[in-house]
Amino acid sequence: MKVHILKNEAAVALAVATRVTRLLAERPSAVLGLPTGNTPVRLYAELRRRHRLGKIDFSKASTFNLDEFWGLPWTHPASYRAFMEEHLFQHVNLAPRRIHFLNGMAKSAAAECAGYEAAIQRAGGLDLMILGIGTNGHIGFNEPAPSLTADTHLARLAPATRRSNAYLFDGRQGAVPPTALSMGAGTILRSRAVILMATGASKAGAVRAAVHGQVTSRMPASLLQLHRDVELVLDQAAAGGLR
Ligand code: PGA
């Protein structure tokens, strides 16, 4: 794993935005895996800014988001799709047909997940997967557990995850859906390159375990140690536990 320790959140966002800008300049039809959450908010702001200035062109790119709450329609303000519309999709020139999203209202979760894996394959696979990390070490909704699911699946959220998503539901943890559709550990590891962004001291323990700990499903981000092109882009607080 390559670890970059930067001064603050703004520097993390700039560094990852530059990586995306470079990738799309070299390979306009690149396939991006995208996260939601607090961590990428500044990244998307920077990508919008660069797009406004004509410095980045998404017209041939494809995107696949990492996860979506099960049982929420895209029109729900707490859906991850709504987040992406607000922070990126409404503001850049992505072709709507190349924006891929898990549908939390699908009739069959299994069919939705299988279709998503097939769509990723048809697109040629992910070129760059951008991830956040949970305070418990989850990536996507792959929560710490005795075993993990390789492919996109219906996942049960850990209590810590429902707590950290409560802000999307007026602070009501009980309103956070108990399950979500998520890319699996294998979906993520099949991406040609992976960037994990982490900011803030609350992530330091998980980052430390992911980098220095054993590879275990009890710390899903530790699986990234198995991939040959992973970069961690951290601010100083998130890197605080590293040796
Ligand atoms: P956050 O979430 O960016 O809101 O901290 C990250 C995650 O849980 O993967």
Side-chain angles (χ1 to χ4, degrees), residues 85-159:
E85 292 292 339
E86 178 188 343
H87 289 276
L88 189 70
F89 297 160
Q90 294 286 326
H91 310 277
V92 299
N93 63 338
L94 276 161
R97 70 179 184 287
R98 284 195 279 270
I99 293 174
H100 302 271
F101 229 95
L102 286 158
N103 177 7
M105 297 298 284
K107 269 214 194 83
S108 154
E112 179 68 11
C113 293
Y116 208 59
E117 289 288 342
I120 293 172
Q121 276 196 15
R122 271 199 309 277
L126 301 173
D127 290 304
L128 176 64
M129 180 77 235
I130 302 173
L131 296 172
I133 182 172
T135 53
N136 66 357
H138 75 194
I139 45 177
F141 282 118
N142 297 282
E143 302 282 17
S147 64
L148 292 175
T149 304
D151 291 339
T152 301
H153 61 287
L154 182 64
R156 183 154 291 281
L157 274 57

